[in-house]
């Protein structure tokens, strides 16, 4: 029987209605003859709310306890997803990182997955159950709970797909694929049917949160081809796969740090470095009156530093100058 890994992000599991909707998606995959490992994130902005609760007590860093705290978000959604499935007659079991176990190193807050045990998941699948794994969490050599970095459920999904040789690794989110820029910021952004591992990795590193950078690196290493799509029926999708050798431009993204007054806007694509593209981007910002604080040309990337308050304007201007 073929296996699907289906990962659902925070907005896809945010409330009871959404949970019933994703159980329907999982049920359809089962009805089409596939075993399913579902991977879920914490509901909505639950992770941020847990961080706020901790900050109400102390803003100091407590890496071990913070991981124990944050992993609770995914524990809730895994149990609720299994309950939603069972309530509609689909046998399911939720598993936390330590129950799999999904072994990681001990870097609290940014752990790396080392090994995923097959025994428990295989036993549950062979009993005909959907396995609902809590994303974003592992267990280290001390049996302490670790988390994998913000947005890390994507990484859990690809690691499970690689470990079990899944036929498909479907990343359901709140957009119907990867676009040339964040479609919430840039209305002219275009959907991309495929993106190479290299370009997706560069976009993720430069701030495109749609896929976690560790997930993209692992996908490339293991040959998993994640598909990014929305939960809407018939959604378009983007497949992340080996490069077809194109030398064009793929997309543009931005990274902002709350403590900095500047932001980095990064263009990504095989055509870079390119003086003519750099010139077009600089001219577009000059025409919009956006001051440029610095430029950094790299292999497959071009980064322009601008005032943080102007980063959205810069992103869209550069996008429209070189990507449409
Ligand atoms: P999830 O909770 O499902 O993991 P995320 O919020 O982590 O979802 O990632 C999805 C978001 O990524 C989208 O809502 C979108 O705003 C943002 N995003 C940033 N860059 C891009 C891009 N190039 N294409 C699509 N979405 C992007
Ligand atoms: N819940 C975690 C976060 O908000 C992990 C994830 O969503 O992938 O970062
Ligand atoms: Mg995410």
């Amino acid at each position: 029987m073929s296996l699907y890994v289906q990962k659902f992000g925070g907005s896809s599991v945010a409330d009871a209605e959404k949970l019933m909707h994703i159980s329907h998606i999982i049920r359809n995959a089962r009805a089409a003859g596939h075993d399913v490992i579902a991977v879920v994130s914490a509901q909505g902005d639950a992770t941020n709310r847990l961080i706020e609760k901790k900050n109400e007590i102390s803003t100091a860093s407590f890496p071990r306890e913070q991981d124990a705290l944050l992993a609770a978000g995914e524990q809730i959604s895994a149990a609720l997803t299994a309950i939603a499935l069972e309530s509609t007659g689909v046998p399911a079991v939720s598993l936390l990182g330590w129950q799999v176990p999904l072994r990681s190193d001990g870097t609290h807050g940014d752990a790396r997955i080392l090994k995923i045990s097959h025994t428990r998941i295989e036993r549950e699948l062979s009993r005909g159950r959907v396995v609902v794994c809590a994303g974003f969490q592992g267990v280290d050599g001390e049996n302490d709970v670790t988390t994998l970095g913000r947005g890390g459920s994507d990484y859990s999904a690809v690691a499970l797909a690689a470990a079990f040789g899944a036929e498909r690794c479907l990343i359901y989110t709140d957009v119907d694929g990867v676009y040339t820029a964040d479609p919430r910021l840039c209305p002219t952004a275009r959907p991309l049917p495929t993106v190479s591992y290299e370009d997706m990795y560069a976009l993720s590193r430069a701030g495109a949160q749609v896929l976690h950078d560790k997930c993209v690196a692992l996908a490339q290493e293991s040959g998993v081809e994640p598909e990014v799509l929305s939960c809407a029926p018939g959604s378009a999708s983007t497949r992340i796969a080996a490069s077809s050798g194109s030398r064009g431009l793929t997309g543009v993204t931005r990274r902002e740090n709350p403590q900095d007054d500047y932001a980095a806007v990064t263009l990504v694509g095989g055509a870079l470095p390119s003086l003519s593209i750099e010139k077009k981007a600089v001219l577009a910002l000059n025409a919009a009156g956006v001051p440029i604080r610095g430029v950094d040309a790299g292999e497959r990337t071009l980064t322009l530093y601008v005032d943080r308050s102007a980063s959205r304007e810069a992103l869209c201007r550069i996008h429209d100058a070189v990507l449409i």
Side-chain angles (χ1 to χ4, degrees), residues 7 9-11 172-175 177-179 181-184 208-210:
K7 180 256 167 178
S11 56
Y172 291 88
T173 182
D174 55 2
V175 283
V178 179
Y179 281 64
D182 184 340
R184 296 185 192 288
Q209 83 192 76
V210 61

Side-chain angles (χ1 to χ4, degrees), residues 7 10 41-42 47-48 74 136 149-154:
K7 180 256 167 178
S41 295
T47 308
N48 289 339
E74 272 68 16
F136 179 55
R150 295 304 306 269
S153 300
D154 299 332

Side-chain angles (χ1 to χ4, degrees), residues 99-112:
Q99 290 173 305
V100 170
L102 185 152
R103 291 275 166 206
S104 76
D105 67 17
T107 316
H108 288 292
D110 191 23
R112 210 165 65 84

Side-chain angles (χ1 to χ4, degrees), residues 204-290:
S204 301
R205 295 284 297 172
Q209 83 192 76
V210 61
L211 280 182
H212 194 280
D213 57 1
K214 282 193 279 190
C215 128
V216 182
L218 180 60
Q220 177 166 24
E221 220 176 278
S222 57
V224 170
E225 297 187 352
E227 297 165 65
V228 180
L229 71 171
S230 84
C231 290
S235 164
S237 66
T238 302
R239 180 182 287 269
I240 314 302
S243 165
S244 57
S246 128
R247 302 207 30 92
L249 284 176
T250 298
V252 61
T253 188
R254 71 168 176 182
R255 180 177 290 289
E256 297 183 331
N257 286 324
Q259 68 273 22
D260 297 330
D261 64 354
Y262 64 89
V265 178
T266 302
L267 259 171
V268 169
L272 297 167
S274 150
L275 278 178
S276 68
I277 293 169
E278 183 173 328
K279 201 168 154 192
K280 278 190 198 166
V282 167
L283 282 176
L285 295 190
N286 288 344
V290 174

Side-chain angles (χ1 to χ4, degrees), residues 40-299:
V40 289
S41 295
Q43 293 186 285
D45 65 351
T47 308
N48 289 339
R49 279 191 281 113
L50 289 170
I51 293 171
E52 281 161 18
K53 276 183 194 293
K54 175 240 150 205
N55 285 342
E56 282 168 18
I57 299 169
S58 167
T59 53
S61 170
F62 300 89
R64 181 187 181 280
E65 302 312 328
Q66 189 159 326
D67 273 2
L69 173 71
L70 296 193
E74 272 68 16
Q75 172 160 356
I76 292 170
S77 24
L80 288 175
T81 304
I83 290 167
L85 286 161
E86 290 257 318
S87 75
T88 55
V90 181
V93 59
S94 69
L95 293 179
L96 305 178
W98 64 268
Q99 290 173 305
V100 170
L102 185 152
R103 291 275 166 206
S104 76
D105 67 17
T107 316
H108 288 292
D110 191 23
R112 210 165 65 84
I113 298 172
L114 299 177
K115 193 173 185 297
I116 299 181
S117 166
H118 282 222
T119 320
R120 178 74 191 266
I121 289 185
E122 272 170 6
R123 188 164 75 236
E124 300 296 353
L125 291 174
S126 70
R127 284 180 180 161
R129 290 173 164 168
V130 170
V131 175
V132 184
C133 288
F136 179 55
Q137 58 180 257
V139 58
D140 71 10
E142 298 283 326
N143 285 338
D144 283 342
V145 174
T146 57
T147 65
L148 308 175
R150 295 304 306 269
S153 300
D154 299 332
Y155 180 36
S156 313
V158 167
L160 284 158
F164 289 89
E167 186 183 322
R168 297 179 77 182
C169 178
L170 296 146
I171 310 284
Y172 291 88
T173 182
D174 55 2
V175 283
D176 58 356
V178 179
Y179 281 64
T180 47
D182 184 340
R184 296 185 192 288
L185 300 176
C186 206
T188 48
R190 290 179 286 112
L192 297 163
T194 57
V195 177
S196 71
Y197 291 123
E198 291 84 358
D199 287 348
M200 193 65 238
Y201 183 74
L203 284 168
S204 301
R205 295 284 297 172
Q209 83 192 76
V210 61
L211 280 182
H212 194 280
D213 57 1
K214 282 193 279 190
C215 128
V216 182
L218 180 60
Q220 177 166 24
E221 220 176 278
S222 57
V224 170
E225 297 187 352
E227 297 165 65
V228 180
L229 71 171
S230 84
C231 290
S235 164
S237 66
T238 302
R239 180 182 287 269
I240 314 302
S243 165
S244 57
S246 128
R247 302 207 30 92
L249 284 176
T250 298
V252 61
T253 188
R254 71 168 176 182
R255 180 177 290 289
E256 297 183 331
N257 286 324
Q259 68 273 22
D260 297 330
D261 64 354
Y262 64 89
V265 178
T266 302
L267 259 171
V268 169
L272 297 167
S274 150
L275 278 178
S276 68
I277 293 169
E278 183 173 328
K279 201 168 154 192
K280 278 190 198 166
V282 167
L283 282 176
L285 295 190
N286 288 344
V290 174
I292 300 170
R293 292 195 182 197
V295 179
D296 196 359
E299 195 54 42

